[in-house]
Amino acid sequence: MTVTASESRDAIGPGEISSEELVVWRMLQRAQVRITRLLETDLLVEHDLALASYDVLTQLSEAPERRLRMNDLAERVLLSRSGLTRLIDRLQRDGLVQREACASDARGLFAVLTDAGALRLAEATPTYLRGIRTRFLDVLDADELRQCAAMLTKLFPDAAER
C-alpha cells in the first residue's frame, strides 16, 4: 500500500512536519541560496555589481521615469528600509542612482536610475540572464518548469506580478 503525502501529513500533529517534508524544505532553501550565490559571483566578477544592486537597478529601470519612492523600492527588492538606504548610498557614490526629493511629500525620497546606472545594468543583464539559463532553466525540462511555476504560484499567488 502506498501512502500519499496528504495521508502522511494527517498522521503528524499540528505544528510538526515529517522528516521527508523537512528534507524538501531544506532542499528548497539550499537551491535558492546556491543559485543566488552563483549569480552574485558572476555579477561581481564580471561587472563589480552585487546581486542586490542589480535588483535595485532593474526595479528602477522598469519603473515609470526610472524612479521609485524608497519605501516602494525596499518592498520590491525585499530589503529593510535601512538596508536599502545603505545600498542606495553605495550606488549613489558610484553614480548609478541619485536621490530626489518628493514634491508632494517633503519627507519622501525617490531613488532614480542615472544614465550610468542604466548602462551598467545593460552591460550586466546578459551575465545575469546567462546565469539563470545555465543554472536553472536549462536544468529543467518544459514540464518541470511549468510544474515549478504552478507550485510557486500556489505558494505566492501575487509573486508573478513583480
Side-chain angles (χ1 to χ4, degrees), residues 112-143:
V112 182
L113 183 66
T114 64
D115 290 341
L119 178 60
R120 186 79 158 280
L121 177 63
E123 292 168 349
T125 294
T127 301
Y128 178 75
L129 297 178
R130 183 179 63 245
I132 293 170
R133 167 72 49 207
T134 60
R135 295 189 172 100
F136 181 67
L137 298 174
D138 286 349
V139 177
L140 303 174
D141 65 32
D143 287 336

Side-chain angles (χ1 to χ4, degrees), residues 35-36 38-40 42-44 46-47 49-55 58-59 62 120-137:
I35 291 170
T36 299
L38 291 167
L39 291 173
E40 172 113 48
D42 291 346
L43 288 169
L44 284 170
E46 295 185 37
H47 305 283
L49 191 66
L51 185 57
S53 298
Y54 179 87
D55 196 14
T58 298
Q59 293 298 325
E62 294 171 354
R120 186 79 158 280
L121 177 63
E123 292 168 349
T125 294
T127 301
Y128 178 75
L129 297 178
R130 183 179 63 245
I132 293 170
R133 167 72 49 207
T134 60
R135 295 189 172 100
F136 181 67
L137 298 174

